[in-house]
């Protein structure tokens, strides 16, 4: 299947996603890639980011499928991984991915961390997995980011100065999407 679409799944609590972090900028940049479209929408249940609400939204509203790269940031990365456990997608790009609720009540309520991660199922449903992580992330321990990379055998882009990737531009992300499109 060819790559035709990118879907940006934001972190929880992002507010207006067009103005949050790098999301709106990346949405515009991806749309400049020939024969690519990009979807960025405010998610339902934006604070708790419940799996039972976000995954059906990704399937029915955002129509994530075998021609889609899901770009998930923080809670959106958790959603992308759970989505790919049971559905085929072209690729996932995980930004600030993690494996546990880290003792946080909202993270626990989201439902993503209530059971073991099915790394093999995800790898079997996804052609390409790229992960961006930073050792100075103030929210996520590096060990959890490494656990994701190891479990998924992801192409890990490791930084020491990006924090939780809450900057307004993210050119390395666009480069990865372009490479996926060229290889498709």
């Amino acid at each position: 299947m060819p790559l035709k679409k990118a879907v940006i799944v934001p972190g929880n609590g992002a507010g207006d996603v067009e103005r949050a972090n790098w999301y709106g900028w990346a949405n515009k940049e991806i749309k400049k890639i020939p024969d690519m479209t990009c979807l960025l929408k405010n998610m339902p249940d934006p604070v708790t980011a419940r799996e039972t609400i976000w995954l059906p939204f990704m399937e029915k509203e955002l129509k994530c499928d075998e021609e889609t790269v899901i770009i998930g940031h923080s809670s959106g990365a958790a959603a992308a991984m759970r989505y790919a456990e049971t559905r085929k997608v072209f690729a996932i790009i995980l930004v600030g991915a993690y494996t546990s609720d880290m003792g946080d009540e909202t993270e626990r309520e989201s439902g993503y961390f209530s059971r073991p991660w099915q790394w093999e199922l995800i790898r079997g449903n996804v052609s390409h997995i790229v992960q961006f992580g930073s050792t100075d992330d103030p929210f996520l321990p590096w060990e959890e980011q490494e656990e994701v990379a190891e479990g998924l055998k992801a192409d890990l882009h490791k930084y020491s100065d990006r924090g939780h990737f809450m900057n307004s531009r993210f050119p390395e992300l666009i480069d990865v999407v372009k490479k996926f499109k060229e290889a498709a």
Side-chain angles (χ1 to χ4, degrees), residues 81-127:
M81 291 188 296
R82 286 296 183 199
Y83 190 89
E85 282 181 344
T86 59
R87 300 162 186 89
K88 290 194 176 293
V89 295
F90 184 87
I92 55 176
I93 300 174
L94 307 171
V95 183
Y98 53 111
T99 57
S100 79
D101 63 30
M102 299 171 290
D104 182 87
E105 185 61 32
T106 300
E107 295 290 345
R108 189 175 307 109
E109 287 178 25
S110 72
Y112 299 112
F113 311 102
S114 63
R115 61 204 181 278
W117 291 96
Q118 303 294 317
W119 305 123
E120 288 184 28
L121 292 176
I122 297 169
R123 288 194 314 262
N125 284 332
V126 179
S127 300

Side-chain angles (χ1 to χ4, degrees), residues 42-47 49-50 53-54 57:
N42 288 318
M43 300 294 284
D45 190 34
V47 175
R50 286 175 186 86
I53 296 172
W54 278 30
F57 186 80

Side-chain angles (χ1 to χ4, degrees), residues 7-11 22 70-78 80 92-97:
V7 170
I8 300 170
V9 182
W22 43 265
I70 301 173
I71 302 165
H73 178 228
S74 196
S75 298
I92 55 176
I93 300 174
L94 307 171
V95 183

Side-chain angles (χ1 to χ4, degrees), residues 73 95-96 132-140 145 159-167:
H73 178 228
V95 183
F132 289 92
S134 191
T135 57
D136 69 338
D137 191 314
F139 307 115
L140 308 178
Q145 297 178 70
Y159 296 90
S160 60
D161 61 352
R162 295 296 181 89
H164 197 55
F165 294 88
M166 297 172 79
N167 44 313

Side-chain angles (χ1 to χ4, degrees), residues 31-52:
K31 287 178 178 175
K32 293 177 185 175
I33 300 170
D35 302 315
M36 279 291 289
T37 186
C38 188
L39 294 178
L40 171 63
K41 293 188 178 185
N42 288 318
M43 300 294 284
D45 190 34
V47 175
T48 307
R50 286 175 186 86
E51 177 182 4
T52 56

Side-chain angles (χ1 to χ4, degrees), residues 131-163:
Q131 180 181 347
F132 289 92
S134 191
T135 57
D136 69 338
D137 191 314
F139 307 115
L140 308 178
W142 178 249
E143 296 74 30
E144 292 211 13
Q145 297 178 70
E146 276 186 315
E147 187 179 346
V148 171
E150 290 167 8
L152 294 177
K153 297 180 178 25
D155 175 10
L156 176 60
H157 296 242
K158 179 180 177 180
Y159 296 90
S160 60
D161 61 352
R162 295 296 181 89

